[in-house]
mmCIF file of all heavy atoms in Angstrom:
data_model
loop_
_atom_site.group_PDB
_atom_site.id
_atom_site.type_symbol
_atom_site.label_atom_id
_atom_site.label_comp_id
_atom_site.label_asym_id
_atom_site.label_seq_id
_atom_site.Cartn_x
_atom_site.Cartn_y
_atom_site.Cartn_z
ATOM 1 N N ALA A 369 -56.713 3.296 -71.031
ATOM 2 C CA ALA A 369 -57.609 2.171 -70.743
ATOM 3 C C ALA A 369 -58.298 1.678 -72.018
ATOM 4 O O ALA A 369 -58.477 0.466 -72.208
ATOM 5 C CB ALA A 369 -58.643 2.582 -69.697
ATOM 6 N N MET A 370 -58.700 2.603 -72.888
ATOM 7 C CA MET A 370 -59.328 2.204 -74.152
ATOM 8 C C MET A 370 -58.354 1.397 -75.008
ATOM 9 O O MET A 370 -58.741 0.395 -75.627
ATOM 10 C CB MET A 370 -59.802 3.447 -74.909
ATOM 11 C CG MET A 370 -60.943 4.188 -74.246
ATOM 12 S SD MET A 370 -61.417 5.693 -75.130
ATOM 13 C CE MET A 370 -62.038 4.994 -76.660
ATOM 14 N N GLU A 371 -57.100 1.838 -75.044
ATOM 15 C CA GLU A 371 -56.115 1.113 -75.840
ATOM 16 C C GLU A 371 -55.858 -0.276 -75.275
ATOM 17 O O GLU A 371 -55.677 -1.245 -76.027
ATOM 18 C CB GLU A 371 -54.818 1.919 -75.907
ATOM 19 C CG GLU A 371 -54.950 3.212 -76.698
ATOM 20 C CD GLU A 371 -53.681 4.032 -76.680
ATOM 21 O OE1 GLU A 371 -52.802 3.734 -75.827
ATOM 22 O OE2 GLU A 371 -53.559 4.970 -77.488
ATOM 23 N N VAL A 372 -55.856 -0.393 -73.944
ATOM 24 C CA VAL A 372 -55.671 -1.703 -73.319
ATOM 25 C C VAL A 372 -56.829 -2.636 -73.676
ATOM 26 O O VAL A 372 -56.634 -3.844 -73.896
ATOM 27 C CB VAL A 372 -55.544 -1.552 -71.789
ATOM 28 C CG1 VAL A 372 -55.615 -2.909 -71.101
ATOM 29 C CG2 VAL A 372 -54.253 -0.848 -71.432
ATOM 30 N N LEU A 373 -58.028 -2.093 -73.764
ATOM 31 C CA LEU A 373 -59.204 -2.898 -74.108
ATOM 32 C C LEU A 373 -59.319 -3.167 -75.603
ATOM 33 O O LEU A 373 -60.286 -3.802 -76.039
ATOM 34 C CB LEU A 373 -60.474 -2.182 -73.618
ATOM 35 C CG LEU A 373 -60.630 -2.065 -72.097
ATOM 36 C CD1 LEU A 373 -61.832 -1.201 -71.754
ATOM 37 C CD2 LEU A 373 -60.764 -3.441 -71.465
ATOM 38 N N GLY A 374 -58.381 -2.659 -76.377
ATOM 39 C CA GLY A 374 -58.412 -2.898 -77.813
ATOM 40 C C GLY A 374 -59.292 -1.930 -78.579
ATOM 41 O O GLY A 374 -59.643 -2.199 -79.736
ATOM 42 N N ILE A 375 -59.675 -0.816 -77.965
ATOM 43 C CA ILE A 375 -60.503 0.195 -78.627
ATOM 44 C C ILE A 375 -59.599 1.291 -79.159
ATOM 45 O O ILE A 375 -58.772 1.840 -78.430
ATOM 46 C CB ILE A 375 -61.536 0.789 -77.642
ATOM 47 C CG1 ILE A 375 -62.438 -0.321 -77.086
ATOM 48 C CG2 ILE A 375 -62.372 1.859 -78.321
ATOM 49 C CD1 ILE A 375 -63.377 0.152 -75.999
ATOM 50 N N ASN A 376 -59.759 1.599 -80.414
ATOM 51 C CA ASN A 376 -58.947 2.639 -81.042
ATOM 52 C C ASN A 376 -59.509 4.013 -80.668
ATOM 53 O O ASN A 376 -60.607 4.368 -81.116
ATOM 54 C CB ASN A 376 -58.942 2.466 -82.557
ATOM 55 C CG ASN A 376 -57.958 3.395 -83.245
ATOM 56 O OD1 ASN A 376 -57.454 4.351 -82.649
ATOM 57 N ND2 ASN A 376 -57.678 3.140 -84.509
ATOM 58 N N PRO A 377 -58.809 4.819 -79.874
ATOM 59 C CA PRO A 377 -59.354 6.130 -79.486
ATOM 60 C C PRO A 377 -59.492 7.088 -80.667
ATOM 61 O O PRO A 377 -60.333 7.990 -80.623
ATOM 62 C CB PRO A 377 -58.337 6.648 -78.460
ATOM 63 C CG PRO A 377 -57.082 5.898 -78.744
ATOM 64 C CD PRO A 377 -57.502 4.562 -79.253
ATOM 65 N N ILE A 378 -58.677 6.905 -81.703
ATOM 66 C CA ILE A 378 -58.807 7.766 -82.880
ATOM 67 C C ILE A 378 -60.155 7.531 -83.548
ATOM 68 O O ILE A 378 -60.896 8.472 -83.853
ATOM 69 C CB ILE A 378 -57.658 7.506 -83.880
ATOM 70 C CG1 ILE A 378 -56.296 7.681 -83.205
ATOM 71 C CG2 ILE A 378 -57.792 8.452 -85.078
ATOM 72 C CD1 ILE A 378 -56.036 9.049 -82.676
ATOM 73 N N GLN A 379 -60.480 6.249 -83.759
ATOM 74 C CA GLN A 379 -61.753 5.921 -84.396
ATOM 75 C C GLN A 379 -62.936 6.230 -83.486
ATOM 76 O O GLN A 379 -63.969 6.719 -83.956
ATOM 77 C CB GLN A 379 -61.767 4.445 -84.787
ATOM 78 C CG GLN A 379 -63.052 4.008 -85.485
ATOM 79 C CD GLN A 379 -63.096 2.516 -85.731
ATOM 80 O OE1 GLN A 379 -62.265 1.777 -85.234
ATOM 81 N NE2 GLN A 379 -64.082 2.071 -86.491
ATOM 82 N N ARG A 380 -62.775 5.970 -82.205
ATOM 83 C CA ARG A 380 -63.912 6.114 -81.272
ATOM 84 C C ARG A 380 -64.180 7.549 -80.878
ATOM 85 O O ARG A 380 -65.346 7.955 -80.741
ATOM 86 C CB ARG A 380 -63.611 5.280 -80.011
ATOM 87 C CG ARG A 380 -64.704 5.329 -78.953
ATOM 88 C CD ARG A 380 -65.993 4.724 -79.460
ATOM 89 N NE ARG A 380 -67.029 4.748 -78.438
ATOM 90 C CZ ARG A 380 -67.783 5.810 -78.167
ATOM 91 N NH1 ARG A 380 -67.605 6.933 -78.840
ATOM 92 N NH2 ARG A 380 -68.712 5.745 -77.239
#
Side-chain angles (χ1 to χ4, degrees):
M370 292 177 66
E371 292 177 345
V372 169
L373 293 173
I375 301 174
N376 188 346
I378 304 298
Q379 181 186 10
R380 180 64 179 82

